[in-house]
Amino acid sequence: MNVTVFGATGVVGRALVPLLGKHELTAVSRTARDEPGARWVVADAASGDGVAAALEGADVVYYLVHSLGAGDFEEQDRIAAETVAREAASAGVRQIVYLGGLGADGPDASPHLRSRRETGQRLASAGVPVTTLRAAMIIGKGSAAFETILGLVKRLPVMVTPSWVSTPTQPIALDDVTQYLAGVCANEAAYGEGYDTGGPEVMTYRQMIERIAALLGRKPAIVEVPILTPYLSSLWLNLVTPVNASVARPLIEGLRNPTIAREERIRKLLPLELTPFDEAARRALA
């Protein structure tokens, strides 16, 4: 099976590529690379440069691309998804696998989550069956959301936080979400389907902060206040975490939406022993 991975250099892409080793693999990046395990090609989904060549001969395409951090990320994501959908149809691709976000379907979804939903719709616009996996925060080293929480824990003995810390979420380990992604590859039962994916525990962001802090031997004081807007929160996070404000703001806006799996069909399709939160965090911290 010929598999092309857009976003192969991202956190999820790097963890996924080794799991696809039995396939003929093409890894796509925006700059030239020469790493083992795949044929690396240069392409840019947003501009369209190199996309057709990257898809030549592909049976399955993974779409792990997003433009978070750009001022017009919603428009860039629309264009990139439409480009890949169109070129995938022309190349005779059988399946597109897309990693979207939980909580994107509600009418009050944040711009970031709305964009995740619309990206999936645009990927399906040219007729290639799309398999969508929806996830909340991914617990893994380099994950922007996880690194934001970790930055808070490491730098602040006292946190004055907005009300989003009480929003429920269902984080998933990086190892688990990539196992799910690999498992749907060329799996015809998953063609055209969407699945919620979540870890074994539902918790609030406050509980997540406290449990990561416990793993690091810390016990920060957390004070919730109602006056921190997403804009002010993003500026605050820019000062105390490694994530810059342009990325933090759309992430923070999305934290007001509960991100919990509403169905578990993926667990019947791909039985998997899910990683407990504390173990996933330990791996990320290691």
Side-chain angles (χ1 to χ4, degrees), residues 110-128:
S110 70
H112 168 53
L113 292 178
R114 287 200 308 269
S115 178
R116 297 287 79 203
R117 177 181 63 206
E118 186 175 4
T119 295
Q121 294 168 346
R122 298 298 175 110
L123 286 171
S125 63
V128 178

Side-chain angles (χ1 to χ4, degrees), residues 249-265:
R249 185 177 183 185
L251 285 177
I252 291 300
E253 288 174 338
L255 298 185
R256 70 172 186 256
N257 301 113
T259 47
I260 301 171
R262 296 168 299 177
E263 49 84 15
E264 296 187 334
R265 292 179 302 119

Side-chain angles (χ1 to χ4, degrees), residues 40-55:
W40 286 83
V41 302
V42 176
D44 187 333
S47 69
D49 294 341
V51 172
L55 291 172

Side-chain angles (χ1 to χ4, degrees), residues 65-80 110-116 118-119 246-247 249-251 253:
V65 174
H66 63 75
S67 302
L68 203 61
D72 58 344
F73 71 89
E74 293 174 89
E75 178 64 17
Q76 287 195 34
D77 280 346
R78 279 193 291 270
I79 293 171
S110 70
H112 168 53
L113 292 178
R114 287 200 308 269
S115 178
R116 297 287 79 203
E118 186 175 4
T119 295
S246 62
V247 172
R249 185 177 183 185
L251 285 177
E253 288 174 338

Side-chain angles (χ1 to χ4, degrees), residues 54-69:
L55 291 172
E56 186 174 350
D59 299 301
V60 178
V61 173
Y62 281 87
Y63 191 84
L64 308 174
V65 174
H66 63 75
S67 302
L68 203 61

Side-chain angles (χ1 to χ4, degrees), residues 28-257:
V28 182
S29 64
R30 288 186 291 182
T31 56
R33 292 176 180 267
D34 184 14
E35 300 176 19
R39 176 179 73 97
W40 286 83
V41 302
V42 176
D44 187 333
S47 69
D49 294 341
V51 172
L55 291 172
E56 186 174 350
D59 299 301
V60 178
V61 173
Y62 281 87
Y63 191 84
L64 308 174
V65 174
H66 63 75
S67 302
L68 203 61
D72 58 344
F73 71 89
E74 293 174 89
E75 178 64 17
Q76 287 195 34
D77 280 346
R78 279 193 291 270
I79 293 171
E82 288 175 349
T83 298
V84 170
R86 182 176 62 252
E87 297 295 349
S90 296
V93 169
R94 302 179 192 175
Q95 179 194 26
I96 296 174
V97 181
Y98 169 58
L99 181 60
L102 284 175
D105 296 334
D108 61 342
S110 70
H112 168 53
L113 292 178
R114 287 200 308 269
S115 178
R116 297 287 79 203
R117 177 181 63 206
E118 186 175 4
T119 295
Q121 294 168 346
R122 298 298 175 110
L123 286 171
S125 63
V128 178
V130 176
T131 300
T132 300
L133 302 186
R134 294 176 287 266
M137 181 186 293
I138 294 173
I139 306 303
K141 185 176 179 61
S143 163
F146 177 76
E147 295 293 343
T148 296
I149 299 295
L150 182 59
L152 293 177
V153 172
K154 285 185 172 181
R155 291 171 172 81
L156 296 179
V158 178
M159 300 183 200
V160 179
T161 63
S163 58
W164 55 257
V165 295
S166 294
T167 302
T169 187
Q170 193 171 354
I172 186 169
L174 176 62
D175 289 346
D176 293 350
V177 77
T178 50
Q179 289 283 354
Y180 279 143
L181 286 165
V184 299
C185 181
N187 188 332
E188 293 187 8
Y191 285 14
E193 297 289 337
Y195 301 93
D196 288 357
T197 68
E201 300 163 81
V202 174
M203 63 187 71
T204 66
Y205 289 97
R206 179 179 185 135
Q207 290 170 322
M208 197 183 305
I209 290 170
E210 291 170 341
R211 289 172 67 171
I212 292 172
L215 292 174
L216 293 173
R218 298 169 184 260
K219 193 173 181 180
I222 301 174
V223 180
E224 295 183 38
V225 297
I227 57 173
L228 280 177
T229 66
Y231 175 70
L232 291 175
S233 296
S234 66
L235 294 180
W236 168 60
L237 290 173
N238 191 45
L239 294 174
V240 297
T241 76
V243 180
N244 66 52
S246 62
V247 172
R249 185 177 183 185
L251 285 177
I252 291 300
E253 288 174 338
L255 298 185
R256 70 172 186 256
N257 301 113

